[in-house]
Amino acid sequence: MPRPPNYEFQDWWNKQRENGHDVVPEKYECTTNSDNINNNNNNNNHHHPNSPFLTVEIRNPSSDPAVDKEMRARSVRQLSGIYLLKLQQIAYSVVYAVIYVVRTIQSRSASDSSHSRFYRAIKWMLILVISLLCFELAAYFKGWHFSPPTAETAELMVEFVYATWLQVRADYLAPPLKSLGHTCIVLFLIQSLDRLVLVIGCAWIKFKKVKPKAAMAYPVGKGDDEDLEDYPMVLVQIPMCNEREVYGQSIAAVCIQDWPKERMLVQILDDSDDLDVQLLIKAEVLKWQQRGVHIIYRHRLIRSGYKAGNLNSAMGCDYVKDYEFVAIFDADFQPTPDFLKKTIPYFKGNDDLALVQTRWSFVNKDENLLTRLQNINLSFHFEVEQQVNGVFINFFGFNGTAGVWRIKALEECGGWLDRTTVEDMDIAVRAHLCGWKFVYVNDVKCLCELPESYEAYKKQQHRWHSGPMQLFRMCFIDIIRSKVSWAKKANLIFLFFLLRKLVLPFYSFTLFCIILPLTMFIPEAELPAWVVSYVPGFMSILNILPAPRSFPFIVPYLLFENTMSVTKFNAMISGLFRFGSSYEWIVTKKLGRSSEADLVAFAEKESDSTFPRSTSESGIAQMNRLGVTRKTERRNKLYRKELALAFILLTASVRSLLSAQGMHFYFLLFQGISFLLVGLDLIGEQVNTTSS
């Protein structure tokens, strides 16, 4: 049973209100600006006196509608003023940033790209894709992507222009672009097949444990009962040019070789034009001469021909005829003390063997992202390419250092020539055409240093990819006329030169940096997703297998390789058509990252036992003192070609959003960001470094 209502309190409440008394104390008064609440309260005041509902009056001290309206208008004006001020500040900031970026690009751009034909072509392509994007955006907001207009039904001039563009795009632009894309895809698949065959060959070598065998082995360490006749005469050459940071450690590594001093001569071939560096190197040579090492210093008065001219000049000395082999090391290479004892035995009993090449080992491969990515590439080169070619063909390209040559082979094939920037590949090809064989020893490693800045790496790659095209143009007829088998001729022409030196940079740049962005604006020529992602991803996995610790960097590696295709393509075209930059030979910048401490310890040990102590200071100690200033502050450069391609790819990624092409969008976006980072010089050594 519901409880009967009690009207006694309600009657008292209403009487108090009629007499004008405040029923609700002040501290319980509620204020509001809502007119709806006031109206509801007024309606509640007229309930029947016997109503069971309790009526409470909520007072509003500022219930004047005019006052509320004025306050709201004032608030809107204040907020509008604040927002306008913020927008003005943002506009000023954007304008200032654009001006700053333009001035920075003009002042810090790489000087070799601003006037090149290649850069101008990329710039015009950027203008084209931006114009096409604006056109497509306007059409998108008009809704023409759902129902495109035709020339017959067009009512406005803009509709007629867009309809004409669609017809021209489908009839005249898409077919040639699609044909070029199919050509690049075929080349891509052929090169991928070649890479797969190399990996399978390397796996077979590992599984069968196939290794080159030496006819004999030298004892480890030095003994008093050594027969000097068992040790052939070896000439060791270290060509260098202004190598302030690394000259000491390379000379020390060679001078402490575990080889009879009577059977070895070290030539320091200094092409430095810095007088201070010359004096430092001379002092280092004098110090080792005082310790009993047969070492001489050579400096050319006429320094022509770069490294090839330097080596050719040294081989012209009269005393060279007394030596049977020559070992060559660049200035940043430090062979282990047993290097000669591990390489010379392969020549015993192999009179047709011209070269023994060893593997490079990098002391700074974990220094930054750039060195990690280089380590992936070079690990595949040595572990797979060089090893497979050495085992199955007995031929590969000489790496220019960390190798031992038979001097007779060098003389028979014409010696060092300075006609290209890849003198090492040149002499290897000529020796191969003369019938000489090569051996690659993967177990013998020589310490060296990777370029840590993008500028140094870019110049190195330009030289490495322009030189082979120069060489191919010069020696093509010699290959055809040579007496080697047609199988070796085909290997040289189609695999060694065309496929691996020309096709690779051509399709990589054309397919992923030109055709793919254009297909976003000409969707009739769209590339399939497997070309964009699946096959490149699989190839990246194959490339990274020799360096399994680098698997976390597989995506940056794929993007960076496509980014470097710009430099490689430009270099390939320069070498093929003999442009001026193809003959540019710049010494790769080195920082002296090698293990000086190990060399110092070994040198001190040898000094205690066999070498007479010298009062002159150790060259390595001098280098360590100079190492205080090894790291200097540098300004990042801006690379125009890479920046222009970054904006092309990012513009194409925006266009791909209008077509809902997910895979293409992500590839273009991340590839554009990769180009942007490289163009801003944000990969490689630190932006600002301090003295250590």
Side-chain angles (χ1 to χ4, degrees), residues 17-291:
R17 290 185 57 225
E18 291 174 0
N19 294 332
H21 297 293
D22 290 334
V23 180
V24 181
E26 267 188 40
K27 63 180 181 179
Y28 293 111
E29 289 184 4
C30 301
T31 60
T32 181
N33 291 326
S34 174
D35 295 335
N36 293 331
I37 296 178
N38 286 328
N39 294 334
N40 292 335
N41 290 336
N42 293 334
N43 294 334
N44 290 337
N45 290 338
H46 297 285
H47 285 306
H48 190 274
N50 295 329
S51 172
F53 299 101
L54 178 63
T55 305
V56 180
E57 179 182 7
I58 302 177
R59 298 186 177 185
N60 186 0
S62 58
S63 59
D64 190 351
V67 175
D68 293 342
K69 185 176 181 180
E70 182 181 356
M71 292 179 62
R72 285 195 296 270
R74 186 182 304 169
S75 299
V76 171
R77 287 195 299 270
Q78 292 175 349
L79 289 175
S80 300
I82 293 173
Y83 288 139
L84 287 175
L85 182 61
K86 293 288 186 183
L87 289 175
Q88 187 178 15
Q89 293 175 349
I90 293 174
Y92 285 152
S93 301
V94 171
V95 171
Y96 176 78
V98 171
I99 294 175
Y100 175 77
V101 169
V102 171
R103 289 180 177 176
T104 303
I105 291 176
Q106 292 177 349
S107 62
R108 292 166 60 184
S109 295
S111 60
D112 61 341
S113 63
S114 58
H115 303 292
S116 66
R117 303 183 188 94
F118 189 47
Y119 170 69
R120 287 197 295 268
I122 295 176
K123 183 174 65 174
W124 281 110
M125 182 180 174
L126 174 61
I127 296 173
L128 173 64
V129 297
I130 292 178
S131 303
L132 290 176
L133 178 63
C134 296
F135 195 39
E136 293 292 344
L137 285 174
Y140 182 84
F141 287 113
K142 288 286 186 179
W144 293 341
H145 58 292
F146 290 118
S147 56
T150 61
E152 294 78 11
T153 61
E155 298 179 356
L156 301 175
M157 179 58 68
V158 178
E159 294 182 351
F160 179 78
V161 172
Y162 186 72
T164 305
W165 158 248
L166 293 180
Q167 186 174 359
V168 171
R169 189 178 75 183
D171 296 341
Y172 301 102
L173 299 181
L177 185 62
K178 187 180 295 185
S179 300
L180 181 60
H182 289 165
T183 302
C184 290
I185 290 174
V186 171
L187 296 176
F188 181 27
L189 294 178
I190 293 175
Q191 196 273 334
S192 300
L193 180 61
D194 173 64
R195 187 64 49 110
L196 180 61
V197 170
L198 288 175
V199 172
I200 293 174
C202 181
W204 186 86
I205 292 173
K206 295 291 184 183
F207 179 74
K208 293 292 185 177
K209 298 181 179 179
V210 178
K211 293 182 180 180
K213 296 181 180 179
M216 51 88 66
Y218 289 107
V220 180
K222 299 178 180 179
D224 297 333
D225 56 346
E226 290 180 328
D227 187 359
L228 295 182
E229 295 300 325
D230 294 335
Y231 294 85
M233 299 288 285
V234 178
L235 182 67
V236 181
Q237 295 177 335
I238 306 179
M240 57 179 62
C241 181
N242 297 325
E243 308 282 1
R244 178 187 293 268
E245 294 81 7
V246 295
Y247 76 92
Q249 60 198 44
S250 60
I251 294 175
V254 168
C255 290
I256 60 177
Q257 280 293 304
D258 186 10
W259 196 261
K261 294 178 179 56
E262 299 83 357
R263 313 293 288 179
M264 181 180 74
L265 174 65
V266 180
Q267 285 183 321
I268 306 302
L269 312 178
D270 183 25
D271 263 3
S272 302
D273 54 10
D274 188 332
L275 182 59
D276 292 338
V277 176
Q278 294 179 29
L279 295 176
L280 288 172
I281 297 175
K282 287 181 180 178
E284 183 73 10
V285 171
L286 179 60
K287 183 256 302 185
W288 287 104
Q289 286 177 346
Q290 294 175 351
R291 292 185 174 184

Side-chain angles (χ1 to χ4, degrees), residues 167 324 443:
Q167 186 174 359
E324 186 177 357
D443 295 336

Side-chain angles (χ1 to χ4, degrees), residues 188 504-505 507-513 516 531-532 536-537 540 555-569 642 645 649 667 671 674-675 678:
F188 181 27
L504 177 58
Y507 86 76
S508 181
F509 172 75
T510 307
L511 187 62
F512 296 110
C513 299
L516 180 59
V531 175
V532 177
S540 298
V555 174
Y557 170 74
L558 172 62
L559 298 175
F560 183 69
E561 280 301 290
N562 290 333
T563 304
M564 285 304 301
S565 67
V566 183
T567 298
K568 296 176 181 179
F569 178 84
E642 286 78 359
L645 280 165
L649 293 167
F667 182 87
Q671 190 64 72
S674 175
F675 268 100
V678 172

Side-chain angles (χ1 to χ4, degrees), residues 362-403:
F362 311 108
V363 296
N364 61 336
K365 62 183 179 181
D366 297 326
E367 185 67 24
N368 53 43
L369 179 60
L370 179 61
T371 58
R372 291 177 185 271
L373 300 180
Q374 291 179 69
N375 179 58
I376 296 174
N377 255 343
L378 291 173
S379 295
F380 184 88
H381 171 70
F382 285 104
E383 184 79 19
V384 179
E385 290 180 333
Q386 297 291 74
Q387 188 168 212
V388 170
N389 290 328
V391 170
F392 293 100
I393 307 177
N394 294 123
F395 167 74
F396 45 81
F398 175 46
N399 294 116
T401 179

